[in-house]
């Protein structure tokens, strides 16, 4: 605990640096870091430097990939595009992917604020979805921090309505943050065995409480179950190196109430 606490004390206390701290990806540190974050939660600041203010929707996002190598190779970005090309029971219609949160024109000292992996709309809810690839070794803590920061920050700095407007959503649309991972990933295993992580449970409760203050729903958790990766994606050449990516088989996604 002393070793990780020393490292933690050296991290600048703002959520941008916290969620990008590499130690957060390690499952072995999950409980210790969760405890440290909870203790100092109110001391951690928010920074909006370099955060995109508008033009979140990208017109070139039409579900295609530019591919030089095996077009059917399973990759996270291709998987997200395949989901974009279908509707899902839990999430409704995927309306975009890799939604940029970084202001493009920053100059020197550019801040990178990441992307929302998937954006989906179901009735009056807009889902912000953080996706973890199959067999990912990243911790559930990392995924929780990412989607918390991505979601809360847009509300904190009053940019959420600009994003809603970009996608034709009313200001009353409810934001639902979510994590989507695979049963063969480390984060998927942690979701299924969440009872083993009491400190992470406590941190999640605090994070959800902060989200709720902004009118945001609790973070939801979904696992792709028993999905055979081999030949799971099929592609069709549209033009030049642009391929439309689709799923070759049905996908089963289970929601976990944790």
């Amino acid at each position: 605990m002393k070793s990780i606490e020393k490292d933690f004390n050296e991290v600048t206390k703002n959520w941008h640096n916290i969620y990008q701290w590499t130690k957060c990806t390690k499952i072995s540190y999950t409980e210790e870091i969760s405890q440290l974050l909870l203790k100092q939660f109110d001391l951690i600041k928010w920074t909006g430097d370099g955060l995109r203010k508008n033009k979140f929707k990208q017109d070139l996002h039409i579900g295609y990939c530019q591919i030089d190598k095996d077009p059917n190779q399973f990759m996270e970005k291709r998987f997200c595009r395949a989901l974009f090309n279908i509707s899902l029971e839990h999430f409704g219609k995927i309306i975009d992917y890799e939604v940029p949160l970084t202001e493009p024109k920053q100059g020197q000292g550019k801040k990178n604020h990441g992307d929302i992996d998937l954006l989906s709309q179901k009735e009056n809810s807009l889902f912000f979805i953080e996706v973890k690839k199959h067999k990912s070794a990243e911790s559930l803590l990392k995924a929780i921090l990412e989607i918390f920061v991505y979601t809360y920050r847009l509300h904190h700095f009053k940019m959420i309505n600009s994003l809603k407007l970009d996608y034709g959503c009313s200001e009353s649309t409810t934001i639902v943050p979510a994590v989507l991972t695979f049963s063969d990933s480390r984060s998927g295993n942690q979701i299924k065995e969440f009872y083993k992580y009491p400190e992470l449970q406590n941190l999640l409760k605090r994070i959800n409480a902060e989200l709720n203050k902004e009118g945001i729903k609790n973070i939801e958790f979904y696992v792709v179950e028993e999905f055979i990766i081999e030949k799971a994606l099929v592609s069709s050449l549209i033009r030049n190196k642009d391929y439309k990516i689709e799923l070759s088989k049905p996908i089963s996604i289970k929601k976990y109430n944790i």
Side-chain angles (χ1 to χ4, degrees), residues 75-140:
M75 302 169 63
E76 182 182 314
K77 289 182 181 295
R78 296 181 188 178
F79 176 65
C80 288
R81 283 164 173 76
L83 294 185
F84 174 80
N85 290 318
I86 63 173
S87 292
L88 296 170
E89 176 187 355
H90 294 292
F91 305 119
K93 174 61 180 173
I94 306 293
I95 59 175
D96 206 353
Y97 51 87
E98 296 172 26
V99 178
L101 299 178
T102 302
E103 185 65 33
K105 297 179 181 179
Q106 292 186 49
Q108 205 169 19
K110 180 179 179 179
K111 293 277 189 182
N112 185 354
H113 290 279
D115 301 330
I116 300 170
D117 288 332
L118 290 173
L119 191 69
S120 74
Q121 188 171 16
K122 185 176 183 181
E123 298 173 350
N124 199 43
S125 294
L126 196 61
F127 287 82
F128 288 12
I129 307 171
E130 175 63 26
V131 179
K132 292 303 174 186
K133 64 183 180 181
H134 81 104
K135 294 187 178 179
S136 169
E138 286 191 354
S139 70
L140 181 60

